[in-house]
């Protein structure tokens, strides 16, 4: 039995007949953050959508805890403990913060039991429980998206550009939350990100995607700096 919670083997996917992701293989262990870096249009978001089967792979395998889930529908992936935080805002703006959070659980009992975890991570969200989600600031909406994923108690989170448009203080808060989710809750994270300093401050490992292929990867340590990787990401 593998110790990886997620394994991709030679995944190729795209839209129509055009391949966007090409022969990508990776694995993530329990309680690990793997940062997927790259310029816009390099296939990063498509990779996450392929794992969730919003995009069907042309070839390869997606293995979740030793089970082949390559063709598993997105709602079953969610039930299997995978939370997807997409780049696009998927909140229901006319619903309250509380109602948006409740979409992450399937019973009132679980909602009550898990609310303290959310409170410990994002206290300001609970101050706005009755507020319409669409009236939150951009940063608060990102917080709510993260909370909705975390309240489902996932084993794995697929997070796409969570820092986009955030103020520096909120970026720092997101880093704290993801580190706590990994270290205290044992959640694994596949993090698509262009904010290099943010990604390297929390990731255990990195990989760089260019034209849908992995062109570099390694362990994040004191020897790895954003300057060393920026050449891959320059526009």
């Amino acid at each position: 039995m593998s110790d990886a919670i997620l394994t991709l083997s030679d995944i190729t996917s795209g839209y129509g007949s055009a391949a966007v992701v090409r022969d990508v293989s990776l694995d993530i262990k329990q309680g690990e953050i793997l940062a997927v870096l790259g310029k816009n249009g390099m296939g990063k978001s498509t990779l996450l959508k392929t794992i969730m089967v919003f995009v069907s792979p042309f070839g390869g395998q997606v293995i979740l805890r030793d089970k082949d889930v390559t063709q598993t529908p997105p709602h079953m992936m969610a039930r299997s403990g995978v939370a997807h935080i997409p780049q696009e805002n998927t909140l229901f703006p006319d619903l309250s913060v509380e109602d948006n959070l409740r979409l992450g659980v399937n019973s009132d009992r679980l909602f009550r039991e898990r609310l303290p975890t959310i409170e410990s991570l994002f206290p300001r969200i609970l101050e706005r429980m009755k507020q319409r989600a669409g009236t939150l600031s951009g940063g608060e909406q990102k917080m709510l998206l993260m909370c909705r994923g975390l309240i489902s108690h996932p084993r794995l989170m697929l997070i796409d550009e969570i820092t986009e448009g955030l103020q520096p203080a909120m970026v720092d808060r997101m880093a704290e939350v993801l580190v706590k989710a990994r270290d205290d809750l044992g959640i694994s994270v596949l993090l698509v990100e262009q904010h290099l300093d943010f990604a390297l401050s929390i990731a255990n490992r990195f990989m760089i995607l260019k034209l849908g292929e992995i062109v570099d990867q390694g362990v994040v340590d004191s020897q790895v700096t954003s300057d060393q990787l920026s050449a891959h990401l320059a526009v």
Side-chain angles (χ1 to χ4, degrees):
M1 180 178 292
S2 170
D3 62 350
I5 186 170
L6 178 75
T7 300
L8 306 188
S9 298
D10 300 321
I11 283 292
T12 297
S13 68
Y15 307 93
S17 60
V20 176
V21 173
R22 298 174 176 86
D23 297 318
V24 168
S25 296
L26 61 85
D27 62 77
I28 305 176
K29 296 179 175 61
Q30 190 70 48
E32 178 180 44
I33 298 176
L34 172 60
V36 181
L37 310 171
K39 294 187 291 185
N40 284 333
M42 293 296 146
K44 305 186 304 298
S45 295
T46 299
L47 180 64
L48 298 192
K49 291 176 181 177
T50 302
I51 296 169
M52 288 299 295
V53 202
F54 291 121
V55 174
S56 296
F58 300 158
Q61 279 188 311
V62 180
I63 306 296
L64 183 67
R65 296 195 301 274
D66 298 305
K67 180 182 179 182
D68 189 335
V69 294
T70 311
Q71 299 294 340
T72 299
H75 71 279
M76 293 303 297
M77 290 293 288
R79 290 183 185 179
S80 298
V82 182
H84 181 218
I85 315 296
Q87 183 177 14
E88 57 271 18
N89 191 335
T90 56
L91 296 175
F92 291 88
D94 291 331
L95 296 182
S96 68
V97 168
E98 180 178 347
D99 288 339
N100 272 275
L101 278 178
R102 285 182 179 275
L103 294 173
V105 293
N106 57 18
S107 74
D108 288 341
R109 178 184 61 81
L110 287 177
F111 180 76
R112 290 191 301 270
E113 287 178 356
R114 296 174 182 180
L115 205 53
T117 299
I118 300 304
E119 184 177 17
S120 69
L121 296 172
F122 288 123
R124 292 174 63 189
I125 281 292
L126 295 194
E127 298 170 3
R128 291 161 171 76
M129 290 292 273
K130 301 305 179 183
Q131 186 173 337
R132 286 177 50 245
T135 66
L136 298 175
S137 69
E140 289 167 343
Q141 290 188 30
K142 289 287 185 75
M143 288 166 53
L144 180 54
L145 283 171
M146 184 71 77
C147 288
R148 192 174 66 187
L150 287 168
I151 204 170
S152 69
H153 275 202
R155 299 282 299 281
L156 171 67
M157 298 186 77
L158 311 177
I159 302 177
D160 196 350
E161 302 283 6
I162 194 65
T163 66
E164 185 179 36
L166 293 186
Q167 296 295 323
M170 185 62 73
V171 171
D172 292 342
R173 184 68 186 125
M174 283 293 182
E176 293 172 6
V177 167
L178 285 173
V179 168
K180 186 170 184 177
R182 177 192 64 192
D183 295 348
D184 296 352
L185 305 178
I187 296 172
S188 305
V189 178
L190 186 58
L191 176 73
V192 162
E193 190 55 61
Q194 289 198 72
H195 192 311
L196 267 179
D197 290 335
F198 167 78
L200 295 179
S201 73
I202 64 174
N204 301 94
R205 291 186 293 127
F206 73 91
M207 55 176 274
I208 296 176
L209 215 58
K210 186 174 184 179
L211 297 177
E213 298 179 351
I214 299 173
V215 295
D216 197 4
Q217 59 185 313
V219 175
V220 176
D221 56 26
S222 59
Q223 305 303 312
V224 176
T225 68
S226 58
D227 289 340
Q228 290 172 298
L229 301 181
S230 60
H232 288 294
L233 310 178
V235 177

